[in-house]
Amino acid sequence: MIELERDALTFSFPEVHPQATLRIEFQRTLRIPDDDKTYPLPPGLGAFPMRHVDDQAANVPSQWLQRGGVMLPMYQSEAMWLNFITTTIQDRWQPYPFAIKVATGKQCAVSGEAWTDGLRRKPQNYLIAPKQPWLDGYVVEKGLIRQFVAMPLGAGYSAEEQITGKAEHGGLQLAVYPMKRDVFERRFPKLGRMELSRSEAFMETADMTLNFCMAAPDMGLAPGGRMRQEIFDDPYDLDDWNMDVGGRCFVHLCNSMVWQAITGAMPPHPAPTAKSYTDAGLPWFDYYDDSATAVEGAPVLSKLKSVNQMSSDKGDVALPENETVTPDNLVVFRKGLKRGQVREGVF
Amino acid sequence: MSDFGDYLRKVREQRRAGDAKFSVRQLAKRVGVEPSYLSKVERGQQAPPSEKTIAALASELGEDPDVMLALAGKVSGELQAIIRRRPKLFADLIRQLKDLPDHAVLRLVREVRDGDW
C-alpha cells in the first residue's frame, strides 16, 4: 500500500514482511548549470510539499483525477532529485531491498523505454534500494545523468515530448517491488549482535498569461545539466523480486504559479541559483560505491537535447542564470568501506 | 473520588516530587483556577473542570489532553465537530472499530489512490 506521509510517499508491503517499507522523498535542489561541464551532486533543500489529487478535485484537470495519485509544485526550470529511504531490519542489519521504476511522462528514466508493467533486466529498467540512495536525473551515459528539470508540458522540452513527439502524460511515475521474503531471508541471514554499519547519512516566472482555469497546469521533466551519478546494476536475480505485490503511483507536477490557486497553500520559495549557492561556499556531494557496477546509459536518453540546447535551437531563453560554476566544497560519501575503516575525505 | 481526580493528583504529585512548581497552589494559579477548587477536583468533591481548563492542565503536566478529557467523561470540541460534520459515517466507523485491537486500528490508513494511466 502507498501512503502520503509528511510530504513523502511510503510504500509498504506488510503482506511480504512487516518492515518491508520504502519511503520516497522528492527533494528540492538547485539547478546545476546546463553547459558542457559535468557537476557533482547538488544538495537537498527540503522535500516538496505534496497533496492527494483527490483532495483538490474541484480545481485540478479531470485527467489528474482519472490517474489518481499525488501532486507537488515545481517552478519552471526548477530541479528535483529522488531520495530513497529504507528501513533496517533489526535482526539482519540490512534494509529490506526494493526494485524501483522511475519514469517521466511514462518514459523510463533509466532505460529510456516506454512504460511497461514489471521489471526488465536487459536493459535494466529499474533501480535498487538501498544500494541506490538517490536519483537526480536521466541516465544518459554510464556514470552520467542529466538533471531532472521541470518545463511546461507542451513546450517541447520534456523527455516525453522529445522521445514520443507527444505531450500526453507529463508528471513522474513510480512503481516499487519488494524482494521476495524467502529470498531476502536466504540472502541476508539473521546476524548476531554486531556493530552498526556506518550510517549513510544521509525561478523562473512561468508564463503569467497562463490561465489556470483554461490551461493545464502540467509540468513535465526535461533533461538539464550533466552530473556524475552511477546507477547501479542489480546484483540479484530478476526472479528475486516479488512482482505480484508491486505498488505504483502517478506524481503530478503542478506549475508552482497555480499551486496556490489549486491548494490554497503557498509553494516553497524558489531554490537559490547554483552560482549563489556555490559562492556562499556551501557543499556539493559525490557518492561512490566500489562494491557495485554501474549500468550503461540508455541510447535513447543520450540523444535527448538538454533544456539549454533546445532553447538555443528555438531561440528562447529557457534557463536564465545558467552560469558555469566551480564547486570547491565537495563532500564525498563512499560506500563499501570495511567496518571501522576510516573514510578518506577531501583535503 | 473520581477517575479524573485520582489521575490528576497522581500525576501532579509525581511532578511535584521533582519540582515545587507543581504544588496545588502554583499549578492552580498557572491554569487560572482557585487552589481550593483544584484540591476539591482532585478529591472528587467537585466535577471535573471545563475542556479549556483540562487542556491547560494537560499542557502543564505534559499529559495527553484527549486522555485527560476522556477520564473526565468528555470528548474534545474538535472531535465533536469532526463527528457532527459526518455523523452517520463516523458513528458507524467508531462502532465497527470498537473491538479492534490497537495494532489493527493503527493500520487504518489513507492510501494513495491509483487510477487509470
Side-chain angles (χ1 to χ4, degrees):
Chain A
M1 64 188 169
I2 310 171
E3 295 161 69
L4 177 55
E5 296 180 321
R6 291 172 284 125
D7 291 330
L9 291 171
T10 303
F11 292 76
S12 51
F13 303 91
E15 67 275 40
V16 176
H17 188 289
Q19 291 163 278
T21 299
L22 173 73
R23 196 171 150 79
I24 301 182
E25 266 181 5
F26 301 82
Q27 276 283 333
R28 301 176 59 235
T29 189
L30 45 92
R31 190 187 71 242
I32 64 168
D34 185 352
D35 52 19
D36 293 334
K37 285 182 67 177
T38 300
Y39 289 88
L41 304 169
L45 301 174
F48 283 95
M50 300 180 78
R51 299 281 189 278
H52 290 270
V53 288
D54 290 343
D55 289 352
Q56 318 298 331
N59 297 327
V60 297
S62 59
Q63 270 193 329
W64 289 23
L65 294 174
Q66 181 192 332
R67 291 169 179 151
V70 295
M71 55 192 275
L72 61 84
M74 289 188 84
Y75 292 101
Q76 178 173 333
S77 75
E78 184 172 13
M80 74 146 59
W81 56 271
L82 275 58
N83 189 17
F84 306 119
I85 304 158
T86 47
T87 307
T88 299
I89 309 293
Q90 288 301 324
D91 56 356
R92 295 164 204 267
W93 300 121
Q94 164 68 32
Y96 205 90
F98 295 93
I100 307 160
K101 289 175 66 178
V102 179
T104 69
K106 291 188 74 176
Q107 304 298 310
C108 179
V110 179
S111 72
E113 296 178 321
W115 180 272
T116 52
D117 288 335
L119 305 174
R120 275 190 40 193
R121 198 59 190 269
K122 288 180 182 173
Q124 183 174 309
N125 67 352
Y126 57 96
L127 318 159
I128 45 162
K131 192 163 267 302
Q132 189 78 46
W134 311 302
L135 178 70
D136 285 60
Y138 300 97
V139 186
V140 293
E141 287 177 38
K142 185 172 185 172
L144 273 185
I145 57 121
R146 275 200 183 272
Q147 191 177 28
F148 290 134
V149 173
M151 292 298 285
L153 194 65
Y157 290 90
S158 71
E160 173 189 6
E161 288 164 88
Q162 292 193 51
I163 294 171
T164 68
K166 293 179 191 166
E168 195 176 353
H169 302 289
L172 192 146
Q173 297 77 34
L174 296 167
V176 175
Y177 301 93
M179 183 173 272
K180 290 174 181 168
R181 178 154 182 175
D182 59 328
V183 174
F184 171 67
E185 291 176 347
R186 174 167 49 79
R187 285 189 178 274
F188 304 99
K190 275 189 182 178
L191 297 176
R193 184 131 187 98
M194 294 177 67
E195 68 194 60
L196 277 167
S197 63
R198 179 173 70 88
S199 66
E200 294 159 15
F202 270 85
M203 149 170 120
E204 298 314 319
T205 305
D207 182 359
M208 294 300 288
T209 61
L210 184 73
N211 180 335
F212 110 92
C213 295
M214 304 297 289
D218 275 292
M219 301 292 271
L221 289 176
R226 286 157 57 95
M227 198 188 301
R228 287 190 296 277
Q229 185 171 58
E230 294 189 312
I231 306 305
F232 299 113
D233 198 14
D234 181 1
Y236 309 115
D237 299 326
L238 188 61
D239 190 47
D240 287 355
W241 302 108
N242 190 338
M243 285 184 237
D244 296 333
V245 296
R248 65 172 206 172
C249 184
F250 200 116
V251 182
H252 302 270
L253 305 179
C254 175
N255 191 322
S256 285
M257 304 306 288
V258 296
W259 177 261
Q260 189 174 7
I262 290 177
T263 64
M266 289 285 285
H269 196 269
T273 63
K275 183 170 189 313
S276 61
Y277 179 87
T278 308
D279 287 351
L282 295 167
W284 293 65
F285 302 90
D286 250 334
Y287 179 82
Y288 297 101
D289 183 349
D290 297 337
S291 67
T293 56
V295 299
E296 300 291 334
V300 67
L301 296 177
S302 70
K303 290 182 192 134
L304 298 180
K305 288 186 177 174
S306 74
V307 173
N308 196 38
Q309 290 164 346
M310 184 159 273
S311 65
S312 297
D313 290 354
K314 287 170 174 268
D316 292 343
V317 184
L319 296 180
E321 301 185 280
N322 189 41
E323 294 164 86
T324 296
V325 299
T326 305
D328 292 322
N329 183 1
L330 194 62
V331 177
V332 180
F333 293 109
R334 185 181 293 274
K335 203 185 171 188
L337 293 178
K338 293 192 179 104
R339 286 204 173 84
Q341 188 178 342
V342 176
R343 176 179 66 78
E344 182 185 345
V346 176
F347 287 61
Chain B
M1 300 294 279
S2 73
D3 288 347
F4 181 83
D6 287 347
Y7 186 81
L8 175 61
R9 179 153 63 181
K10 188 182 84 180
V11 173
R12 185 187 57 74
E13 288 188 341
Q14 282 171 356
R15 302 282 186 281
R16 195 185 59 171
D19 190 339
K21 75 178 188 180
F22 289 102
S23 66
V24 170
R25 181 174 299 278
Q26 292 196 45
L27 179 62
K29 188 177 175 190
R30 289 201 299 280
V31 300
V33 296
E34 290 294 323
S36 58
Y37 169 73
L38 193 61
S39 178
K40 283 181 181 173
V41 169
E42 282 192 353
R43 284 181 277 126
Q45 293 170 359
Q46 278 276 0
S50 68
E51 180 182 342
K52 186 179 163 196
T53 303
I54 291 174
L57 284 167
S59 173
E60 286 290 334
L61 295 167
E63 292 293 300
D64 187 306
D66 285 325
V67 171
M68 291 196 71
L69 281 167
L71 286 167
K74 296 171 190 271
V75 175
S76 77
E78 175 214 357
L79 287 178
Q80 289 182 41
I82 290 170
I83 295 167
R84 274 200 297 268
R85 273 202 297 275
R86 290 186 285 182
K88 178 161 173 46
L89 189 66
F90 278 99
D92 286 349
L93 182 69
I94 291 166
R95 283 192 192 98
Q96 286 183 39
L97 297 182
K98 72 179 169 57
D99 295 325
L100 233 54
D102 288 0
H103 71 270
V105 175
L106 288 171
R107 286 183 53 153
L108 284 176
V109 294
R110 178 178 183 189
E111 291 192 50
V112 173
R113 181 178 65 78
D114 190 18
D116 180 17
W117 295 8

